[in-house]
Amino acid sequence: MSAIDSIRFRMYNTGSVGDCLLLLFQRGDDIAFSMLIDCGGWMTKKEAITACVEDIHATCNGRLDLLVLTHEHMDHVSGFNQAREIFDRIEVGKVWMSWIEDEGDDIAKILKDLYGKKMQELKRAAEMAISSLRRKAAASSHVRGMDARTKAQLRTMEDTLELLRLEDGVIPMRGARASLTNSDAVSYLKKKGDVRYLKPGEVISDMEGAEGMKFFVLGPPRDRDMRFFKIATEEDEMYKLAVAAPAADKAGGAGVLNMGSGAGFNPGSMGMINPASAGVLNPAFAREDENLSSFNEPIVESGISLEEGQSPFGEQYILQGKEKEAFQKDYNSIANRWRQIETDWLENAASIAMRVTALTNNTSLAMAIEFGDSGRVVLLPGDAQSGNWMGWHKPTVMRSLKKKGGKDTAELLANTIFYKVGHHGSHNGTASVSGLNHVQNDDLVVFMPLVQDKVPSAWGGSENFPDKSLYRVLIEKSRGRLVRTDVGVIQDARAKKFRAELKASEKKEFTDSFKKGPNWVEYVIKG
């Protein structure tokens, strides 16, 4: 049997910000192995995503050898609900998910339980706040400055609910499937094929039809205290903050604000990759057992405890007796409603919701595929954020990858020639120190799943996608060979300049390998 000699990457425009990537492993012009990674869109129309799945069905002749689910977010799984009639007609051989989706996994159970409770907490708080703020807005319309502030708070809470909608995945649909959620999509896929739950450090090289290919599992991380899940935006891992850091140092060493929940996390002391040591790992990072005995930390911190409808203060300040009666009479009067402050702390609720969203992103199944004997690598991180990327460099993961597959994380990154950008080009979806800084291959091509004008305001809007600092680095690393879902080959002036400087053979290869369809872009790499 001849070896796989090319891989076609077809990235679909699902009608919104979403991920749907089809990989076709070929011998000559024949498809030997087909692999789909995710299928979803943010509040996308059924017709748009259905058209994509129809194309997948036709292209693969009604069969997928492998279907991969990276994580449980609407923009990655909605298609399995919205276009289920077509997926019902597609035969699936194997299904891969991360260990997070394994109902028999002890750590996954704890994570899912805490995550579910936090989700319900936030939903209740957001819904109550919106109701309260609407009443407050009506009562404060006569107060100078107060009306605008209340309306701003209301917009913040509405954005919070939008973020939480990404988490549960409920999309208004006609008929019996009106209430299907992200969890329903996952349950559907678990029955679709032979399911395998993957852990970091595994290497799979026995896929029938994809002989010679090695699939390296990088994440999500597996830690007894789940410290990596809580690192959404490690300051040393984001290009936006890395650019700002030197200026902050000159200003007096104030450093860069850590926006994630891992405040005070020191990459040097915890064994992260240290930029000053050229990627050498700190031995202190070897503390990695997975037992549950010491798990006692909250996943996401939120708010203060309030006595609902009685006091705006924490429990230790709750009034009693006559003081309480007098306070309630005055404070809860309709005339003074605009003065109430119960909802003020919820100005930060959108930030809390972003942390919950980041937690799910960090559960992404991240992998690298080595293309036979060529050594060329395809990097597929899902929507992994900082903590997930950092976890790829844990000593146990590195040793396991090297032993089972012959290459560790740093070597895989160095040989990467195709990168599917994480989280649609956001500032925290591509790590620097533990990620892109290692990529050195001059043949790098970048695919970014982004429909810029569909980025919801709750995410920061189109002006923040793609992140400008990251975009600049990706253009430089790929020498202008960056392809987006919405525009195809990007026409950024810097990208054009880099492409103009390519050798004639490189220009021809890039041009010949790229193709644009009615709702997809495609690129072929050769082994």
Side-chain angles (χ1 to χ4, degrees):
M1 183 183 293
S2 59
I4 301 292
D5 54 31
S6 67
I7 305 176
R8 285 165 59 194
F9 298 87
R10 182 171 288 189
M11 182 168 66
Y12 288 92
N13 185 337
T14 60
S16 181
V17 182
D19 264 68
C20 185
L21 182 65
L22 180 66
L23 284 70
L24 303 171
F25 298 73
Q26 299 186 155
R27 295 188 180 97
D29 294 330
D30 298 327
I31 298 172
F33 186 84
S34 55
M35 172 182 178
L36 179 67
I37 303 177
D38 294 335
C39 184
W42 165 257
M43 297 302 294
T44 193
K45 292 181 179 178
K46 179 179 179 178
E47 295 76 17
I49 202 163
T50 296
C52 297
V53 182
E54 288 280 18
D55 184 82
I56 292 167
H57 180 276
T59 303
C60 298
N61 198 25
R63 175 179 169 81
L64 288 166
D65 295 293
L66 176 62
L67 200 159
V68 177
L69 172 74
T70 60
H71 64 296
E72 200 172 318
H73 265 165
M74 179 195 289
D75 57 325
H76 289 252
V77 304
S78 71
F80 302 114
N81 290 332
Q82 292 175 291
R84 187 167 296 187
E85 292 85 357
I86 300 100
F87 274 113
D88 283 344
R89 306 199 312 263
I90 298 177
E91 180 187 355
V92 176
K94 297 184 183 300
V95 176
W96 286 356
M97 302 179 181
S98 83
W99 61 270
I100 295 289
E101 304 301 336
D102 184 359
E103 295 173 8
D105 187 288
D106 288 339
I107 300 180
K109 285 179 184 177
I110 293 175
L111 183 62
K112 289 275 189 179
D113 181 56
L114 293 175
Y115 164 83
K117 288 178 180 176
K118 186 57 62 180
M119 277 287 298
Q120 293 308 312
E121 259 180 56
L122 283 171
K123 280 184 182 178
R124 284 194 299 270
E127 287 165 356
M128 287 174 58
I130 286 173
S131 177
S132 176
L133 285 166
R134 284 173 179 162
R135 292 194 302 269
K136 191 172 180 179
S140 64
S141 58
H142 66 290
V143 183
R144 183 179 179 182
M146 200 69 193
D147 184 46
R149 184 186 177 202
T150 302
K151 287 179 178 176
Q153 289 177 316
L154 187 57
R155 284 193 299 272
T156 295
M157 293 315 304
E158 289 169 344
D159 281 350
T160 298
L161 276 183
E162 282 289 282
L163 287 168
L164 297 178
R165 185 176 294 177
L166 178 72
E167 299 295 319
D168 61 34
V170 176
I171 299 177
M173 292 172 64
R174 296 184 296 274
R177 300 217 166 105
S179 61
L180 290 182
T181 65
N182 293 342
S183 295
D184 291 316
V186 175
S187 297
Y188 172 74
L189 293 180
K190 287 182 178 180
K191 300 173 184 175
K192 192 67 179 160
D194 181 18
V195 181
R196 180 168 178 174
Y197 302 104
L198 304 178
K199 296 179 182 177
E202 291 186 59
V203 179
I204 301 165
S205 56
D206 59 353
M207 297 298 289
E208 185 178 351
E211 289 82 6
M213 300 291 123
K214 291 180 182 177
F215 300 80
F216 292 76
V217 184
L218 305 173
R222 185 178 168 84
D223 312 291
R224 65 178 183 178
D225 59 2
M226 301 185 190
R227 63 192 182 280
F228 286 108
F229 286 114
K230 292 181 280 185
I231 303 171
T233 50
E234 177 64 25
E235 60 186 36
D236 287 332
E237 291 289 351
M238 291 183 296
Y239 287 101
K240 174 182 284 187
L241 299 187
V243 169
D249 290 339
K250 288 178 183 177
V256 182
L257 175 66
N258 186 336
M259 299 162 62
S261 53
F265 199 89
N266 186 326
S269 65
M270 288 299 290
M272 298 298 98
I273 296 177
N274 189 329
S277 59
V280 178
L281 289 167
N282 189 321
F285 190 46
R287 179 180 62 82
E288 300 182 41
D289 66 90
E290 297 175 351
N291 72 66
L292 306 177
S293 60
S294 65
F295 182 81
N296 58 9
E297 296 185 42
I299 298 255
V300 181
E301 301 289 351
S302 68
I304 59 174
S305 177
L306 303 179
E307 186 176 1
E308 186 179 325
Q310 295 185 22
S311 170
F313 304 109
E315 292 175 353
Q316 67 269 40
Y317 301 113
I318 292 175
L319 300 173
Q320 302 293 331
K322 292 182 179 180
E323 286 184 322
K324 181 176 181 177
E325 291 176 13
F327 176 82
Q328 284 182 309
K329 182 178 179 181
D330 189 43
Y331 183 78
N332 290 325
S333 68
I334 294 176
N336 285 326
R337 181 170 285 163
W338 66 273
R339 298 177 182 268
Q340 294 177 343
I341 63 174
E342 280 91 344
T343 57
D344 284 8
W345 75 275
L346 288 167
E347 291 178 2
N348 293 318
S351 172
I352 296 167
M354 282 292 283
R355 291 187 185 184
V356 173
T357 298
L359 175 69
T360 306
N361 285 336
N362 266 343
T363 68
S364 286
L365 178 60
M367 67 174 65
I369 305 174
E370 187 179 29
F371 195 157
D373 295 331
S374 71
R376 308 178 106 198
V377 172
V378 173
L379 184 61
L380 306 164
D383 277 356
Q385 294 192 201
S386 298
N388 194 319
W389 288 77
M390 292 158 74
W392 304 354
H393 297 269
K394 291 170 60 177
T396 51
V397 173
M398 296 274 278
R399 287 193 297 268
S400 180
L401 295 174
K402 185 76 171 181
K403 180 180 178 180
K404 297 174 182 177
K407 285 188 173 64
D408 61 23
T409 304
E411 292 171 302
L412 291 168
L413 289 170
N415 292 321
T416 294
I417 62 155
F418 183 94
Y419 171 44
K420 194 289 297 183
V421 178
H423 204 245
H424 319 290
S426 73
H427 71 287
N428 54 5
T430 299
S432 55
V433 175
S434 60
L436 209 58
N437 287 5
H438 289 265
V439 178
Q440 303 297 331
N441 200 301
D442 286 339
D443 294 332
L444 180 68
V445 172
V446 173
F447 260 35
M448 180 180 289
L450 175 65
V451 181
Q452 190 176 31
D453 63 359
K454 298 290 186 180
V455 177
S457 61
W459 294 14
S462 59
E463 64 272 19
N464 289 310
F465 281 78
D467 174 71
K468 293 178 179 61
S469 299
L470 172 63
Y471 209 44
R472 184 165 58 250
V473 173
L474 288 172
I475 289 171
E476 180 180 344
K477 286 277 187 180
S478 66
R479 295 192 292 161
R481 291 167 295 188
L482 196 159
V483 178
R484 277 178 25 187
T485 314
D486 52 0
V487 299
V489 178
I490 65 168
Q491 298 305 308
D492 181 282
R494 293 163 299 172
K496 285 184 174 180
K497 182 176 183 295
F498 274 111
R499 291 199 296 269
E501 295 171 355
L502 294 172
K503 297 176 184 176
S505 59
E506 292 173 325
K507 289 180 185 177
K508 185 177 187 311
E509 181 178 4
F510 181 65
T511 302
D512 291 349
S513 299
F514 174 75
K515 187 184 294 185
K516 197 173 192 302
N519 57 356
W520 48 262
V521 289
E522 183 177 277
Y523 193 80
V524 179
I525 65 170
K526 297 176 181 178

